[in-house]
Amino acid sequence: MYKETLAAVFVLASVAGCSTKFENPTDYVTYRHEPLVEKVQDGMSKDEVLTIGGPPSTEIQRTVHPGTCNNYVLNKEGHQQAYYVSFNDAGRVDSKGFMTCEQWQKHEAEAAKI
């Protein structure tokens, strides 16, 4: 199961990387009632997020700003969607959305260059 979940995250990451849209608003409509989407708020602690969403598929160190980022895979009616929750160096949520941590970091790095 763990390997299948990781494989799904990487497939979603590669497919979404080809997209011209940064995030798909349809994802919010489809997954808005998932606990991670509905309940996780900016400023929450990592422990609070883990209580709501459980353990992430992966956790990575952020590269643009200090902190960590958790990758999750949301499931609904047989469809899977990547979702990330990012934590600052104090362990508080500072970003979340419908992509992988890697995709989000790439966007952050590009935005920092502007």
Side-chain angles (χ1 to χ4, degrees):
M1 175 69 178
Y2 180 72
K3 289 180 183 179
E4 292 172 6
T5 302
L6 277 178
V9 168
F10 289 118
V11 168
L12 287 170
S14 62
V15 171
C18 298
S19 173
T20 58
K21 238 180 188 180
F22 186 60
E23 276 193 32
N24 186 347
T26 305
D27 295 334
Y28 178 77
V29 172
T30 304
Y31 297 97
R32 69 183 177 270
H33 296 301
E34 294 294 314
L36 281 168
V37 178
E38 189 173 57
K39 296 179 181 177
V40 172
Q41 301 295 320
D42 284 354
M44 282 186 159
S45 71
K46 188 179 285 191
D47 287 339
E48 290 173 309
V49 173
L50 293 174
T51 298
I52 292 168
S57 300
T58 59
E59 180 178 350
I60 64 168
Q61 291 295 315
R62 295 184 351 182
T63 56
V64 178
H65 303 287
T68 60
C69 188
N70 288 354
N71 279 310
Y72 289 92
V73 178
L74 304 176
N75 293 292
K76 184 165 183 150
E77 299 173 3
H79 299 285
Q80 295 184 329
Q81 172 62 49
Y83 193 79
Y84 79 94
V85 180
S86 180
F87 303 93
N88 61 23
D89 58 350
R92 298 288 179 170
V93 174
D94 63 359
S95 185
K96 57 191 170 86
F98 293 97
M99 63 185 72
T100 65
C101 292
E102 294 80 3
Q103 291 168 321
W104 175 73
Q105 285 192 120
K106 181 179 178 185
H107 173 74
E108 288 292 300
E110 289 170 0
K113 291 178 185 177
I114 295 176

